[in-house]
Amino acid sequence: MQVKKSWILLAVIAAALVASAAPAWAQAVAPKTTVPIDGEYGRFFSLPTDVSKNGHRIDNLIHWTHAFMAVLFVGWGIFFVYCLMRFRQRPGHQAHYELVHAKPSKYLEVAVLIVEIVLLAGFSVPIWASVKNDLPPADKAFRVRVVAEQFAWNFHYPGPDGQFGRTDPKLVDTATNPLGLDREGDPHAKDDIFALELHIPVNQPVICDISSKDVIHSFFLPVMRVKQDALPGMRIPVWFEAVQTGTYEVACAQLCGNNHYSMRALMYIQPATDLEAWLREKGKPPEEFVE
Amino acid sequence: MKCWSIVATLVGGLALGAMAGPVRAEDNAVIKGKVIFKGDPEKYKRTKLDTSKDANCTKPVGSEDVIVDKDNNPPTLRNVMVSIKEGLGDRKFEAPKTPAVLDQKDCHYEPHVLGVVEGQEVVIRNSDPTNHNIHFLPKINEEVNKTQPKQGMEDKITLKKEEPFKVKCDVHPWMGMYITVFNHPFFSVTDKTGTFKIDKLPPGKYVVQAWHEKFGIMTANVEVTSGETKECDFTFEPK
């Protein structure tokens, strides 16, 4: 049975509309958290809220890329339809199947190439270099280690001494020591803080060192325009700076297993004083459990 | 030929029946005792675990890797699996008809240490109003990795090979427990009182093993005669 092309087209458009609504739907069905999340995470074709210093540069890049692609898409689309009509078979006219070698098409191809080179070399590479590669000075940045696992984000803060303690996979206990901190053997590890939430200061560069305990995950802060794969055996730094306080989402952007959807944490952007108070509180010995 | 094959089948069946047959009258010895903790119980206080990842986990959850019941005199250790390690020979034992139950309740596992017999059914239940994903991490038995998104859901698993292994929840990283599969029913897990009791034992010389997830394994040699009850205490002294 031959399906009409118009039906296929309709189905494609419907699928595209459903897909565009996916972020809003995902936000609605995401696991319940104790705290409401701030910001918008993409209604139809809009980008999520941006609360980072550099986010607008990534957004601009995305917008420019889309604008150029839209011009190309529409331009090629019009040309395609024109060719279909102009060279079609009709009474007294044979259809043309051979390529037409003409100078204008060469110029057009070169123009597209130049646009793509400009996008890559003129926009993407410089933005990537400054936003991703040029880490802020370590003494000015707030540093957190992020350890991914199926299916949670673990956050490791250095504590009052500012030094990260030694970790050892042999010491990992999923309930009591998820990071495998050597609290007995390394003095720097004694004051280290572990949390399932990311707390960072506002208006200060933050460096997150990303790693993974098991499979490949992807550390995704939509409101910071940060997305970095977490690879077992590697510690990859990413940096960003928040310009607004609030509570936002940390997601995993790499399908990492059957509970990938639940790999979500909260990011609290706080004034420095609130952050210090939280770190002090979190740094206290764990509360005793009484049956 | 036919006749011989029928006789052979009958004899074989009877022999198998005798091997895995019901408990014999003389199988009534008992080994019981206590698992004592020697050391500073304050060093092993239970702590409240961070369950903030799931707002449905409303009840506080305590660490379970070391539970010292310091009110007992002397202090005892909970969740120690005491079992017969050697001495049963080639005897086969039937798996109990009643299933072992592993419940996910208040975002932790009940029990924390579970013993089952080869071929015994294990019922995995989700009693919480949240999603759990039970993940068995065995080396010999088949891996189990099941999502139970709704409260009241149950799955039935049969473990076929003798082996101890860890179980975790893929949704709640603090949740963990241990299952040991035995080829006999002679095991017991210490509770709040720190005691264990292995009964209906055939008379014989045994190596009794006590296993704790943090403090490792201890063994003792015990000989029991029919109808006898022997006391056997273990003392774990962490360094």
Side-chain angles (χ1 to χ4, degrees), chain A residues 151 259 261 287 289 291, chain B residues 46 48 53 78 131 133:
Chain A
F151 296 89
N259 281 284
Y261 84 94
E287 213 180 316
F289 174 81
E291 276 177 272
Chain B
R46 293 182 75 185
K48 259 189 203 171
K53 192 182 172 225
R78 214 186 293 182
N131 175 32
N133 188 99

Side-chain angles (χ1 to χ4, degrees), chain A residues 113-149:
Chain A
L113 190 67
I114 288 169
V115 166
E116 283 174 0
I117 289 170
V118 168
L119 273 178
L120 190 69
F123 290 86
S124 307
V125 174
I127 290 176
W128 207 249
S130 69
V131 171
K132 293 279 171 187
N133 288 358
D134 302 338
L135 290 178
D139 57 328
K140 285 188 182 148
F142 180 82
R143 207 148 191 157
V144 188
R145 282 186 183 169
V146 180
V147 184
E149 71 174 297

